[in-house]
Amino acid sequence: MTHTIQPNNPEITPAPDAADLPAALAPRPAAPAVPAALKRRIPKYADLAPLMQFKKPEFSKEARLKRASTIWELRDMAKRRTPQAPFDYTDGAAEEEITLRRAREAFLDIEFRPGILRNVSSIDLTTDILGKPSRLPVGIAPTGFTRMMQSEGEYAGSQAAEAAGIPYTLSTMGTASIEDVAAAAPNGRNWFQLYLWTDRDRSLELIERAAKAGNDTLMVTVDTAVAGARLRDVRNGMTIPPALTVKTVLDASYRPAWWFNFLTHEPLTFASLSRYTGTVADLINSMFDPTLTFEDLDWLRETWKGKLVVKGIQTVEDARKVVDHGADGIVLSNHGGRQLDRAPIPFHLLPEVKDALTRDNSDAAIILDTGIMSGADIVAALALGADFTLIGRAYLYGLMAGGRAGVDRALQILEKDMARTMALLGVSKISELTPDHVRLLGK
């Protein structure tokens, strides 16, 4: 028979080995002691007090906007607060809206490739675009009929851009004049977006007004030879200005603040049009010139002395050609999916255009819009070769959610997204982003 010897204590009589005893007599292993933290007890008030911190409910606009952590949450707020027709005008796209869905999916179908053990204690989001600095690599795109979305319209957008240190682009079809926007944001960087009309004298007048008001960049849009089939607008009976029908009155009962603001402010007027009543498609088809050619771009280049950007580029060939005709920059854009459905996706086109212009030794700026809904989307675009980005719907959701404060919140969300994404990628400034940081899935 063997015995277990307890080390360092020879006086203890060794217990018989359990293996030598009958099963019934073998000692049971002792139950483990219960940690003090797991023993039940009656809670003390001193323990409960720190947990019982009830916050006073906040119903202010600022508190409501602060609860939004994403652009999608601002969109939800906007939908609740805006009548269906103007909300759908912003939210919708052409025909089956395939282009818009694909544009957004393009940003989802990527894989970030982070670097580790980099010093990212300070993130610098500043960049240069078209010869001047921008505090963020994103600007506000031109959007038409903006005061229809919310009464502060272009004034909110331009002032928020001024405060954020980024460019603001006023649309030809904006609802505030070139001069009023310049006065509202006197220290901002204001750009003007131009649709060329069949009446060249009217176009020239706008160009001269933009220059006189201090706009340093002219952005000519070239993808609207005719209006796209925006079916949500057709179904909603969308007109400019919104018409008071039985349907709109019923819709207003759920959004009284929007209607109160709309009816108690100056009626909608346009930066470049006289009073107009009718559908958006009719307006585009009656005013804009379907005969535009590269010769017209040459005329613009000779006429405009500031920076010239061409918006609506959807092929590599056209990107190279407009640069050859004097463009200082291009905007890869399919008009937010609002013109030709199944159009090329700017984010997919970006690497090819970047490669082509690099091989041409061109220093033309590459700007990208369409589909951007987060700061991570912006970082991905910059990594794949964009110099700058523009947001349309993303800021309009903020505008509809809360006016100027809502636009500020949208820009804050995007800035926070960008800074976090760059830190997690292991880069501290935009110039460190490269195509190696992004992989297009399925390609």
Side-chain angles (χ1 to χ4, degrees):
M1 179 180 295
T2 61
H3 298 279
T4 301
I5 305 300
Q6 298 292 334
N8 302 323
N9 197 352
E11 297 181 0
I12 295 178
T13 303
D17 195 315
D20 297 328
L21 298 175
L25 301 177
R28 299 176 181 272
V34 178
L38 298 182
K39 293 181 179 178
R40 295 192 182 278
R41 63 186 179 84
I42 298 174
K44 300 177 182 178
Y45 176 77
D47 297 330
L48 293 176
L51 305 178
M52 300 172 65
Q53 297 183 6
F54 302 110
K55 292 184 178 180
K56 182 180 179 180
E58 294 183 275
F59 301 102
S60 69
K61 177 172 67 175
E62 290 72 18
R64 173 170 50 81
L65 291 170
K66 191 175 180 179
R67 288 193 289 270
S69 299
T70 68
I71 299 298
W72 290 107
E73 290 175 357
L74 287 178
R75 178 186 178 276
D76 291 340
M77 292 182 184
K79 189 172 184 178
R80 290 193 296 269
R81 301 178 66 82
T82 311
Q84 184 175 348
F87 178 82
D88 278 354
Y89 175 79
T90 301
D91 194 60
E95 300 179 38
E96 300 302 315
E97 304 190 354
I98 295 169
T99 297
L100 178 58
R101 288 197 300 273
R102 287 178 177 171
R104 286 176 172 163
E105 288 167 1
F107 287 106
L108 301 179
D109 292 339
I110 66 167
E111 177 182 88
F112 280 124
R113 294 188 164 184
I116 61 171
L117 300 178
R118 273 76 163 180
N119 182 356
V120 290
S121 57
S122 177
I123 304 298
D124 182 4
L125 293 172
T126 61
T127 191
D128 287 331
I129 183 64
L130 297 170
K132 292 187 179 181
S134 177
R135 198 179 68 83
L136 301 174
V138 60
I140 290 184
T143 58
F145 317 116
T146 313
R147 286 182 55 231
M148 181 179 64
M149 320 316 172
Q150 202 271 355
S151 58
E152 295 177 59
E154 289 86 358
Y155 302 103
S158 59
Q159 291 173 343
E162 178 186 50
I166 64 175
Y168 172 82
T169 315
L170 175 66
S171 171
T172 296
M173 300 174 78
T175 45
S177 73
I178 299 170
E179 294 78 12
D180 285 350
V181 168
N187 298 313
R189 187 179 183 188
N190 293 320
W191 297 352
F192 184 69
Q193 176 269 334
L194 177 72
Y195 288 110
L196 275 174
W197 299 347
T198 52
D199 184 345
R200 288 293 186 272
D201 289 339
R202 295 287 300 279
S203 296
L204 183 59
E205 177 189 344
L206 282 178
I207 293 170
E208 291 172 345
R209 287 172 58 191
K212 186 176 180 180
N215 290 258
D216 63 69
T217 297
L218 184 69
M219 182 182 295
V220 58
T221 297
V222 295
D223 57 2
T224 51
V226 296
R230 302 172 191 178
L231 300 184
R232 289 204 214 184
D233 295 347
V234 174
R235 294 170 186 137
N236 289 330
M238 174 70 179
T239 61
I240 305 297
L244 286 171
T245 64
V246 173
K247 181 179 179 180
T248 55
V249 169
L250 290 175
D251 197 27
S253 65
Y254 299 98
R255 287 98 171 176
W258 185 95
W259 278 104
F260 177 76
N261 285 332
F262 179 77
L263 296 174
T264 58
H265 286 88
E266 181 183 343
L268 295 183
T269 56
F270 302 98
S272 49
L273 308 174
S274 56
R275 290 289 177 87
Y276 174 83
T277 301
T279 68
V280 178
D282 289 343
L283 174 59
I284 292 175
N285 289 332
S286 65
M287 296 296 296
F288 301 151
D289 189 352
T291 69
L292 292 180
T293 68
F294 282 93
E295 291 180 359
D296 296 287
L297 186 59
D298 293 334
W299 174 78
L300 272 179
R301 178 67 284 177
E302 293 174 4
T303 304
W304 176 258
K305 304 309 179 184
K307 297 293 185 179
L308 178 63
V309 174
V310 180
K311 181 176 182 287
I313 302 300
Q314 299 175 67
T315 68
V316 174
E317 179 185 0
D318 282 344
R320 301 174 78 171
K321 197 166 183 179
V322 297
V323 170
D324 289 342
H325 281 258
D328 298 298
I330 60 172
V331 183
L332 300 182
S333 171
N334 55 37
H335 216 101
R338 298 163 67 80
Q339 285 294 102
L340 175 66
D341 208 9
R342 300 177 178 85
I345 304 305
F347 186 66
H348 288 161
L349 184 63
L350 174 59
E352 298 176 59
V353 170
K354 177 66 174 179
D355 180 64
L357 294 187
T358 299
R359 285 188 281 108
D360 291 345
N361 295 315
S362 171
D363 60 357
I366 301 175
I367 304 172
L368 181 138
D369 77 4
T370 304
I372 293 173
M373 289 290 283
S374 74
D377 297 341
I378 294 171
V379 170
L382 297 172
L384 288 185
D387 297 300
F388 203 67
T389 60
L390 295 173
I391 52 168
R393 289 183 179 90
Y395 104 86
L396 289 176
Y397 293 140
L399 176 68
M400 291 185 286
R404 160 70 194 278
V407 182
D408 289 335
R409 184 58 182 157
L411 295 175
Q412 290 165 6
I413 289 170
L414 293 175
E415 181 176 1
K416 187 175 181 180
D417 285 352
M418 285 186 279
R420 180 181 59 251
T421 302
M422 287 178 60
L424 292 173
L425 282 175
V427 298
S428 59
K429 53 188 177 181
I430 291 171
S431 61
E432 295 175 357
L433 288 167
T434 72
D436 291 337
H437 288 107
V438 178
R439 183 169 75 91
L440 300 177
L441 300 180
K443 292 196 173 184

